[in-house]
Amino acid sequence: MTESNNTEEKFETMEHEKLVTLAQNGDNNAEEFLIRKYKNVVRSKAHLYFMVGADSEDIVQEGMIGIFKAIRSYDKTKQTSFHTFAEICINRQIITAIKRAARLKHSPLNTSVSLSKPLSDMEPDTTLEEVLSSNSNTDPEAIF
């Protein structure tokens, strides 16, 4: 049996709170084990949400950031289980990302139109810039 299999088996029998303590003290194997262990929790929560301009994997990534933050900031003196704390962190991270994506301050970037992009597939050589700068004079002073 390899060393990684022994480590996996050892971690399987440990309480999550103990694994978090190991991870917080620099044990990368414990941290990776917890992240793998909670990936299904993240996926189950992620499928409940929708984010504008993102796919489901983007939401899963946000949830994974949440579990990472949970491992880093868990405080066992607060008398709550790590599992409960992790679920709260995952939800908050996903909701924050959704709110960030829906902010109106980013709408000009998300709804802008390129002046140099072809207008259609039927007219690939005509751009919006060419149409707007055509012979039609739109200067109010010149029209008057």
Side-chain angles (χ1 to χ4, degrees):
M1 202 180 281
T2 65
E3 184 180 335
S4 64
N5 285 343
N6 288 337
T7 304
E8 284 282 320
E9 287 177 16
K10 180 177 79 170
F11 287 160
E12 279 290 340
T13 60
M14 286 181 135
E15 291 182 7
H16 291 187
E17 290 76 9
K18 177 67 176 162
L19 287 168
V20 170
T21 302
L22 290 172
Q24 289 173 342
N25 291 328
D27 188 337
N28 290 334
N29 291 329
E31 182 177 54
E32 288 174 21
F33 178 82
L34 281 168
I35 289 171
R36 279 193 314 275
K37 193 76 170 169
Y38 279 86
K39 186 151 188 150
N40 288 335
V41 174
V42 170
R43 287 196 178 281
S44 70
K45 295 209 173 284
H47 91 280
L48 300 172
Y49 296 99
F50 172 78
M51 187 171 12
V52 175
D55 63 14
S56 62
E57 281 303 308
D58 293 330
I59 298 171
V60 170
Q61 281 299 97
E62 289 295 334
M64 295 307 288
I65 292 169
I67 190 64
F68 181 77
K69 286 181 176 180
I71 292 169
R72 296 284 177 208
S73 60
Y74 178 70
D75 183 358
K76 63 183 172 188
T77 64
K78 301 290 184 189
Q79 297 182 357
T80 185
S81 73
F82 176 73
H83 185 82
T84 302
F85 182 72
E87 285 187 344
I88 291 169
C89 289
I90 292 165
N91 282 335
R92 285 185 180 169
Q93 185 68 33
I94 292 171
I95 290 168
T96 300
I98 291 169
K99 286 180 180 178
R100 196 176 336 124
R103 282 191 192 137
L104 292 177
K105 78 175 196 175
H106 298 299
S107 65
L109 296 173
N110 295 333
T111 59
S112 63
V113 177
S114 173
L115 295 176
S116 58
K117 185 177 177 183
L119 284 178
S120 69
D121 292 336
M122 300 177 83
E123 297 181 51
D125 297 332
T126 307
T127 63
L128 185 58
E129 183 177 23
E130 291 170 348
V131 171
L132 292 176
S133 65
S134 65
N135 292 337
S136 64
N137 197 347
T138 56
D139 180 17
E141 187 177 3
I143 293 173
F144 181 69

